[in-house]
Amino acid sequence: MSEVSYPVPGSQASSPGRIKRSLRVVLASVASVLAFFTSAIMLGAYFPAIPKAGVIGPVVGGQYPLHIALIGIVGTALGTLAWRSGLVRWGRVLTAVTALSTTAALGIGSVQFTATRDAGTKVSFRQVFSQLASPVGAAPDATHVYATHDGEALEADVYLAKESRDSKVPAIVLAHAGGFHTFDKSDLRGIGRWLADHGVAVIAVDYRLATPERPTWNKAPQDLMTALGWTREHADEYGIDSSRISLGGMSAGGTLAMNTAYRLKNGTIRATDGATPKPPFSVVGFYPGTDVDGMWKEDVAGTREAAELFTGGTPARYPERYREVSPITDVQEGLQRTLLVVGDRDRSARPDTIKDFGASLRAKEVDTTVKELPFAEHAFDDAYGSLTSQTSRQILLDFLNKNT
C-alpha cells in the first residue's frame, strides 16, 4: 500500500502570500515616509507660522518645489500600489496626502515661474534640477589682496566681464552674508561668475569678521570703503566704467553695503587709512538688515548674537554704535539708487520691514526698487539653480545695467 504525502498547512503554500503581504507593507511604509516629508514641507511652506515645519518648509519648499513634486509623485504611485494590493484604507490615505502635496509643490513652482517671466528671466530647468550648488567652473579670473588690517590680508575675487576687452562695463563690489562673523567671499562665486558672463564685472570681497574679542562695527565698513577705492584704482585695468561702480551684498553684507554707501554719500564716514573713495553709483541689498537695533530686539535665527558680536554689546550699552551701523539712520534726500530684494517668507529680514525701508527711501525721493520673491526664505539664492535664484540674478543684472 503506497503512502500519500500532503502539504503541511502554512508551509510552502503560504510563502507567496507572506511575500506579497510583506511587499505591500514595505510599499506602504516607504509611501508613509514620503507622505510625511512632503506634507510637512508643504504645510510649512504655505503656513510659516506652524512650529518647526514653518522653519524648514519655506527653505526646502521654496528652493526645491519641483524636486518635492517629483518625490510626491513617487509617493502617490507607491500609495496607489499599496491601496490596490489590499491595504485599502492605508493606501487611500497615503495616495491622497502625497497627491495633495504634489499639487501644492507644483503650485509653488507655478507661482515662482510666473515671477521669473515677469522679471524677464530666461529660465533653465536643467539648472533647476542639476545646480543645487554653485557651478564647479564658477571661479574668479583673479584673486588679489586689496588691504591688510590687523595683520589680516583681505582678499578680493575678481570676475571679469567678457565685454571688458572692448568696452567699459559696470561693476559691483559685493560683500558676503554671514551675520558679520562667518562665511567668506567664496559664497559669491556663483553670482559673481554669472554676472561677469552677462557683462557686469564683480569684485567679491572678504572683510574683517567679528569675534567675541573683536567687534567690527567700525572696521568692516572701512574694509568696504577700501575695497571700493581699490576697485576704482584698477578700473582701467579691468575694463570697468569707474562712474558705474556699485556696492552691494547679501544679508549682513547688504547691511554693510548700504550703511557704507549711504554714509559716504552723506559725508558721515571717512577712511581711516588712505583716501576716502567716492560714493558708489548705486546700492544693492539682498535680504539685508536695515536696523541693527531691530535685529537685536527680534532675535530671529541668530540675529541677536550677530548684532552683539558686530557691535561688541547690547543696544543699551552701545546705543551710538547701533545707530551708526544701521542703514535706517542715514535715510535722507540725495542717496544713491537702491535695489532691495527679499523673500516673502523671510523671518529675519522680514518683507514688511524691507518694504517699509523702501518706502522711507522713496519718501526722500530716492530712486528705490523693492522686489519681493514668492515662497522665498532668507538666503533664497543658496540653491544656485532654483527659480528664485535665477529670478534674483536677472533682477540684479537689469538694475546694474541701468545707466541712470
Side-chain angles (χ1 to χ4, degrees), residues 296-347:
W296 188 91
K297 290 176 179 176
E298 293 180 6
D299 191 20
V300 177
T303 57
R304 176 170 294 181
E305 178 190 15
E308 290 191 5
L309 283 171
F310 185 45
T311 61
T314 66
R317 184 177 181 183
Y318 297 117
E320 71 287 348
R321 294 183 182 181
Y322 276 79
R323 284 194 297 270
E324 183 172 314
V325 298
S326 297
I328 198 169
T329 302
D330 290 284
V331 173
Q332 58 181 271
E333 294 180 356
L335 293 179
Q336 303 96 322
R337 192 165 58 91
T338 299
L339 170 66
L340 303 169
V341 184
V342 68
D344 67 358
R345 299 297 197 266
D346 200 320
R347 295 181 303 127

Side-chain angles (χ1 to χ4, degrees), residues 202-226:
V202 175
I203 314 297
V205 300
D206 283 333
Y207 49 87
R208 280 172 284 183
L209 300 177
T211 68
E213 297 76 29
R214 184 188 71 175
T216 54
W217 62 277
N218 59 344
K219 300 178 185 295
Q222 290 289 329
D223 296 339
L224 291 198
M225 280 199 298
T226 303

Side-chain angles (χ1 to χ4, degrees), residues 159-181:
Y159 299 85
L160 297 178
K162 291 181 177 179
E163 295 87 348
S164 62
R165 296 180 180 177
D166 304 319
S167 61
K168 301 289 186 179
V169 299
I172 183 169
V173 177
L174 273 181
H176 64 83
F180 309 112
H181 65 96

Side-chain angles (χ1 to χ4, degrees), residues 11-200:
S11 58
Q12 296 179 359
S14 61
S15 294
R18 282 204 304 268
I19 293 173
K20 182 178 180 181
R21 286 194 298 270
S22 297
L23 284 176
R24 69 185 185 184
V25 169
V26 170
L27 286 174
S29 298
V30 174
S32 297
V33 172
L34 299 183
F36 175 79
F37 173 73
T38 56
S39 61
I41 295 299
M42 287 300 99
L43 282 172
Y46 278 89
F47 306 103
I50 297 176
K52 295 185 179 179
V55 175
I56 192 66
V59 176
V60 178
Q63 295 195 71
Y64 310 104
L66 300 184
H67 299 77
I68 300 299
L70 288 177
I71 294 173
I73 290 171
V74 173
T76 301
L78 293 178
T80 302
L81 287 174
W83 174 4
R84 292 184 175 179
S85 67
L87 297 177
V88 179
R89 291 183 180 178
W90 191 1
R92 284 177 177 175
V93 170
L94 293 175
T95 301
V97 170
T98 49
L100 286 172
S101 298
T102 301
T103 302
L106 291 174
I108 293 176
S110 177
V111 170
Q112 291 182 343
F113 181 69
T114 299
T116 65
R117 289 193 304 175
D118 292 343
T121 309
K122 185 178 180 180
V123 177
S124 168
F125 283 101
R126 181 187 61 80
Q127 284 187 7
V128 169
F129 290 104
S130 64
Q131 292 291 339
L132 303 185
S134 296
V136 175
D141 295 286
T143 298
H144 296 287
V145 175
Y146 73 86
T148 301
H149 292 304
D150 297 338
E152 180 180 350
L154 300 174
E155 293 185 336
D157 283 342
V158 180
Y159 299 85
L160 297 178
K162 291 181 177 179
E163 295 87 348
S164 62
R165 296 180 180 177
D166 304 319
S167 61
K168 301 289 186 179
V169 299
I172 183 169
V173 177
L174 273 181
H176 64 83
F180 309 112
H181 65 96
T182 187
F183 302 152
D184 59 39
K185 58 183 172 51
S186 65
D187 292 336
L188 301 168
R189 61 188 182 277
I191 193 168
R193 185 74 271 156
W194 188 88
L195 286 173
D197 290 345
H198 288 78
V200 175

Side-chain angles (χ1 to χ4, degrees), residues 327-400:
I328 198 169
T329 302
D330 290 284
V331 173
Q332 58 181 271
E333 294 180 356
L335 293 179
Q336 303 96 322
R337 192 165 58 91
T338 299
L339 170 66
L340 303 169
V341 184
V342 68
D344 67 358
R345 299 297 197 266
D346 200 320
R347 295 181 303 127
S348 51
R350 293 187 294 108
D352 288 346
T353 300
I354 301 300
K355 288 187 286 188
D356 288 345
F357 181 74
S360 69
L361 288 171
R362 292 194 190 101
K364 296 296 184 180
E365 299 184 349
V366 178
D367 185 354
T368 305
T369 300
V370 179
K371 295 292 185 179
E372 184 179 8
L373 301 181
F375 290 99
E377 237 284 17
H378 200 72
F380 51 73
D381 48 351
D382 276 352
Y384 178 84
S386 69
L387 291 172
T388 51
S389 189
Q390 292 189 50
T391 303
S392 66
R393 289 197 293 269
Q394 186 65 51
I395 290 171
L396 177 56
L397 177 65
D398 292 343
F399 177 83
L400 295 174

